[in-house]
Amino acid sequence: LLEGAPDALRFSDHLRGQGPAFFEQARRAGLEGVVSKRADSPYREGRGGDWRKAKCRLSQEVVIGGWTLPSDGRASIGALHVGFHEDGQLVYAGKVGSGFSDRLLTDLQHRLDARKRDACPFASVAAEMRRGARWVEPDLVAQVEFTQWTDEGRMRQPVFLGLREDRDAATERFVAFFAD
């Protein structure tokens, strides 16, 4: 069945009782994750509780450089524009639009309002990302978890984990690591 399949798709025999070690190997190999099934359950069509997918997620400290308004018209934050420093420039890494509680959004809104600026702080941002953006002084650092980097250098499926008040935004560099 796998003849001519891409190298990333491989058959492996089942492994019993080595889940954590196997998952760690998948993380180190840069794989998306591991799919597992209860050994005593039969194969069935469709979704069910017998299958589990454990995703390998990356984590990155990023600098907040702006935000977008929400698409539902509320007066709040829709997503954060984030990046990291590289070669003396703030490199755009994408938008983070999930992981926020209402309380956190209120706190972030106050912090961002106090940091407003007219000019985009990033070295380069595509025109479609600039539309409707509100820019801020890039002095806040956030911890973000995501699945992988895209070919465009943006985080895929990023989730906001919290602010890192112990970090200096002026020195945040690209240092992606796996989340625990």
Side-chain angles (χ1 to χ4, degrees):
L1 287 174
L2 296 177
E3 188 176 317
D7 287 341
L9 186 61
R10 298 179 187 175
F11 173 78
S12 63
D13 204 356
H14 70 280
L15 298 172
R16 196 177 284 245
Q18 300 174 32
F22 186 76
F23 181 76
E24 184 58 32
Q25 257 187 321
R27 274 185 7 164
R28 286 191 195 140
L31 300 177
E32 180 182 341
V34 174
V35 176
S36 58
K37 183 183 91 54
R38 289 178 49 106
D40 61 351
S41 67
Y43 285 91
R44 293 189 180 106
E45 184 178 339
R47 294 181 184 231
D50 294 334
W51 289 88
R52 296 281 190 269
K53 181 175 183 180
K55 288 189 172 188
C56 299
R57 303 214 22 113
L58 297 167
S59 184
Q60 171 76 38
E61 293 167 354
V62 291
V63 178
I64 300 172
W67 83 92
T68 65
L69 295 175
S71 57
D72 63 7
R74 291 178 294 142
S76 181
I77 297 168
L80 297 173
H81 288 289
V82 299
F84 53 87
H85 291 279
E86 188 173 80
D87 298 327
Q89 296 184 330
L90 187 56
V91 177
Y92 187 70
K95 293 191 302 186
V96 181
S98 65
F100 307 108
S101 67
D102 288 339
R103 183 177 178 185
L104 178 61
L105 284 173
T106 300
D107 177 54
L108 270 175
Q109 189 71 64
H110 290 297
R111 291 174 186 243
L112 296 176
D113 284 342
R115 291 168 166 81
K116 283 185 182 176
R117 66 186 266 177
D118 292 330
C120 174
F122 299 103
S124 176
V125 179
E128 68 268 13
M129 296 296 167
R130 289 176 171 268
R131 263 185 239 115
R134 309 299 196 261
W135 305 118
V136 298
E137 290 299 324
D139 61 359
L140 290 176
V141 176
Q143 188 76 39
V144 177
E145 187 179 86
F146 58 103
T147 56
Q148 67 186 62
W149 290 102
T150 68
D151 292 340
E152 296 81 28
R154 295 189 188 129
M155 296 176 289
R156 184 179 308 282
Q157 301 172 341
V159 177
F160 181 87
L161 299 178
L163 289 175
R164 293 294 308 261
E165 300 197 40
D166 61 327
R167 298 295 201 198
D168 179 6
T171 60
E172 274 317 308
R173 306 269 184 262
F174 169 71
V175 188
F177 56 91
F178 284 100
D180 292 330

